[in-house]
Every structure is written in structure tokens, then in C-alpha cells.
Amino acid sequence: MPRPIEAVIHTEALAHNLRRARAHAPDARVWAVVKANAYGHGIERAYPGLLGADGFALLDLDEAQRIRALGWRGPVLLLEGCFDARDLELCSRLTLWHTVHREAQIDWLAAHKTQQPHQVFLKLNSGMNRLGFTPAAYRSAWLRLSGLTQVEGITLMTHFADADADTGEAGVPRGIDRQLAVFEAATRDLSGDRTLCNSAATLRYAPHDDAVRADWVRPGIALYGSAPDFPARGIADWDLQPTMTLRSELIATQDLQPGDTVGYGSRYTADRPMRIGIVACGYADGYPRSAPTGTPVLVDGVRTVLVGRVSMDMVTVDLAPVPKARIGSEVTLWGCGPAGTVLPIDEVARAAGTVGYELMCALALRVPTHPQ
Ligand SMILES: *Cc1c(COP(=O)(O)O)cnc(C)c1O
């Protein structure tokens, strides 16, 4: 028998979450962001659930090829654009739309020979200071692109740093306001579609703000069943469903006396007689080593906590709330447990001092993963 750990990708939940994102921006087109191998879900496994999208956005060229190999003939957008002039050949061959965020990418386009002109997304650095032209340089970049026979259409694009940040109280400025004002000023007299929203902005602002919603939204994390503004709101508040379940089983139990310790570093000491369960899942499976005693976990669908340090192949859990637990009991590290129980990935991430994004992206290759 194989080691009992597995990950399940919930196809119907992906489709549900995509519908939820779309419901917040019904008249916009939706990019399903599938970078980082569909946030660790696997592009091929996530694809059937996300077929209702208007396009797929990602950044690795090999992932773009994989989307085309799956038969997707609609839009595919490279969110970081080309890394080299030669990448444009692949863009022409596979009809990939691409971001333009710096001058050299325009030089490459100007020198590129193509039968079919390209759709480009011109990125404005509205304040996040990662990618994009400054407001002062944006207009001349747009004019340059407009003059190229290699370019068929220009979509105006920016990305928010703080769409998840404010409290949402009346009178408190929104986390997006400063960047939105910069975007509006820099694009006022430029023609072209517009795209601004990640998941947080799509869920929180797109429904009641036309300028934010614009022509395309770009949700990623919300599609994968993680609330972008956790802990202010959780997936239940946004009516999102887990799309990845990481589950395993108890492979041993131990009875402890007061004073007994657990695991490496003897970091946990029993203060009472207690029974603990040993789970076949550790940091080599992608479970965060930083998860401390107290991190939530489900055993047979009952909520309990980790005790002691996460090791490479095992974690240890308190069985006090689950007296009937025995070797072979189902353990849900995150996602969907038995009988409709749910442990949102956001809760585990928060306990470990990180975000759902990192946990799902870190799911290890050694974990057998199947769609359901
Ligand atoms: C990753 C990414 C997104 C999606 O962000 P989420 O927070 O996962 O919704 C949108 N736009 C760009 C440019 C991105 O890089």
C-alpha cells in the first residue's frame, strides 16, 4: 500500500469559485490566473474546472504551451511579458498576448517579424514599484506601441498592492484609492481596454465601481478557495469552496504521561495524560515546518491541533477531542474533510505565519494528486 497521503483537486469547486468571481464583475471578461502551475494545483488538473474563463493568465512560457496543448484556443496572457526577443516567436506561433512593462520589450516588438499583429497589455507602475512604466513614461510607451505594425491592440493595465488591506468601513480610504487615481490620471486620454483587479479588488470593489471593474478582471487566489482578505473575511463569507484537499491518515498513536515530550527539539511537553496521533505528512510534502503547536487540523472530521514540531515526514496531533481516533483515521491537513467538514487553507496558513498562496504553491511533487 502506498503511503496514505494524497491531495485532491476539486474540479467542481474551481468552477464554482470562477462563477463567484464572475458574479462580482458580470460585464467584464475574466482571466483565470493559472501561474505557478495553477497555484500548485497543476495546470492540467485545474483546467477542466476553469474552462468557463475568458482567458488564462500566467507567466512561464512552458505553462502557456501546456495550456495550448490542452486545446485552449482563446486568449492566453503572459503577465510578465517576454523575457527575451526570441520569446516573441512563440507569442506569434501560439497567439500569446503579452504584457509590456519596459522599453526593451517595445524594441523587441519593433524588430519582430510577424504575419499576425499582437495584443499587448501595457503595464503602468501606479505605485507598487515592481513592474511597469512610470506615469511620466506611460503615454510615450503607448504612442510608440500604437505606431507599430506588430501591434494590433493595447490594453491598459495596472496591479494593486493593497486591495486586501483596508477595513471596508465607510469613510476609511480604500487600499486601492491612491493607485486608482494614478491609473486614471495616466490613462485618461488613452484608448484601449483596461484591467486592474486581482482577486481582492474583484471581490471587494468590482461590483460597485465601474472604473475598478473595467474590461477584464484577473482573479487568482479566489479561484483556488482562499479568501484574499483573510482573516477579515473567510471563504465562507465570499461563498468560495476549497479546491485543494491535503489529507492523510494516522499511522501510529502514543499515550503520554505528564512531562513526556513530543518530536524534535522536545518542543512540546504533556501537562496531563494524553493520547497523540502521528500523521503521515510533513514538510517534505509541502506542509509548513513553521506551523506551531496549536495549528488546526481535522481528525475524522473533528477539529484538533498540532502538538510539537513538524518533521520531514510526520506531524503529531492531540487526539483529546477525538477519543475514537485510531490508526487509519482520516486526517485533513487542509480542505475538505469527511461528512462536509472544512478546514480552510487560510486558517492553517495564518497559524504558520504565511498565506494560503504559499501553502498551495508548495504542495510537494511526492504527494499523489488527483482531480475529483
Ligand atoms: C498573480 C496576479 C494576479 C492574481 O492575483 P490574486 O491575488 O491571486 O488574485 C493578477 N494580476 C497579476 C498581474 C498577477 O501577477
Side-chain angles (χ1 to χ4, degrees), residues 324-361:
K324 290 195 178 129
R326 48 173 181 81
I327 291 170
S329 283
E330 180 171 341
V331 177
T332 309
L333 287 313
W334 58 70
C336 299
T341 53
V342 170
L343 177 58
I345 196 169
D346 295 327
E347 292 190 33
V348 180
R350 183 155 179 89
T354 183
V355 287
Y357 298 75
E358 190 178 8
L359 298 194
M360 51 182 86
C361 289

Side-chain angles (χ1 to χ4, degrees), residues 33 35 39 57 59 79-80 99 123 130 157-159 196-200 202 217-224 228 357:
V33 179
K35 62 190 179 190
Y39 289 53
L59 35 85
L79 289 165
E80 292 181 346
T99 300
K123 189 145 190 189
R130 296 191 313 187
M157 177 182 188
T158 199
H159 191 58
L196 300 88
C197 289
N198 56 2
S199 295
T202 302
V217 293
R218 311 187 305 268
I221 194 69
L223 305 179
Y224 303 102
Y357 298 75

Side-chain angles (χ1 to χ4, degrees), residues 48-294:
L50 297 175
L51 269 172
D54 297 296
F56 289 93
L58 39 71
L59 35 85
D60 289 303
L61 295 160
D62 76 296
E63 292 187 345
Q65 289 176 273
R66 283 160 61 193
I67 282 281
R68 286 288 184 236
L70 286 165
W72 178 254
R73 303 175 71 102
V76 173
L77 174 62
L78 299 175
L79 289 165
E80 292 181 346
C82 294
F83 301 98
D84 184 272
R86 282 165 301 186
D87 296 342
L88 286 168
E89 285 156 32
L90 193 72
C91 292
S92 289
R93 187 149 51 82
L94 297 183
T95 319
L96 307 180
W97 302 8
H98 47 102
T99 300
V100 168
H101 65 82
R102 63 185 173 103
E103 210 68 49
Q105 292 173 322
I106 309 183
D107 300 338
W108 302 336
L109 256 175
H112 178 59
K113 294 194 178 28
T114 179
Q115 305 291 332
Q116 199 197 10
H118 292 193
Q119 290 287 342
V120 300
F121 277 53
L122 179 60
K123 189 145 190 189
L124 174 72
N125 173 8
S126 58
M128 193 176 191
N129 289 310
R130 296 191 313 187
L131 301 185
F133 292 89
T134 62
Y138 195 70
R139 187 187 167 75
S140 69
W142 185 90
L143 286 170
R144 239 193 116 194
L145 283 171
S146 309
L148 296 183
T149 56
Q150 292 90 342
V151 173
E152 179 176 49
I154 307 172
T155 298
L156 314 177
M157 177 182 188
T158 199
H159 191 58
F160 291 126
D162 300 312
D164 56 339
D166 57 284
T167 60
E169 282 166 60
V172 178
R174 300 178 301 178
I176 60 170
D177 284 336
R178 196 171 40 87
Q179 285 184 267
L180 182 60
V182 171
F183 182 78
E184 294 201 308
T187 59
R188 184 158 294 137
D189 57 348
L190 302 181
S191 65
D193 282 348
R194 284 152 164 75
T195 176
L196 300 88
C197 289
N198 56 2
S199 295
T202 302
L203 296 178
R204 304 186 69 194
Y205 305 119
H208 17 262
D209 191 328
D210 297 349
V212 177
R213 186 166 66 252
D215 300 289
W216 288 91
V217 293
R218 311 187 305 268
I221 194 69
L223 305 179
Y224 303 102
S226 167
D229 53 355
F230 189 84
R233 288 197 178 84
I235 52 170
D237 299 306
W238 291 119
D239 185 19
L240 299 170
Q241 298 173 359
T243 59
M244 178 192 285
T245 291
L246 178 61
R247 67 183 178 213
S248 186
E249 292 179 3
L250 296 186
I251 56 171
T253 62
Q254 300 291 342
D255 292 300
L256 307 184
Q257 297 308 315
D260 287 349
T261 64
V262 180
Y264 286 118
S266 302
R267 290 280 280 259
Y268 182 81
T269 305
D271 59 1
R272 59 196 148 90
M274 66 188 290
R275 198 160 73 100
I276 62 167
I278 320 305
V279 185
C281 174
Y283 61 77
D285 300 298
Y287 194 87
R289 184 173 179 276
S290 54
T293 292

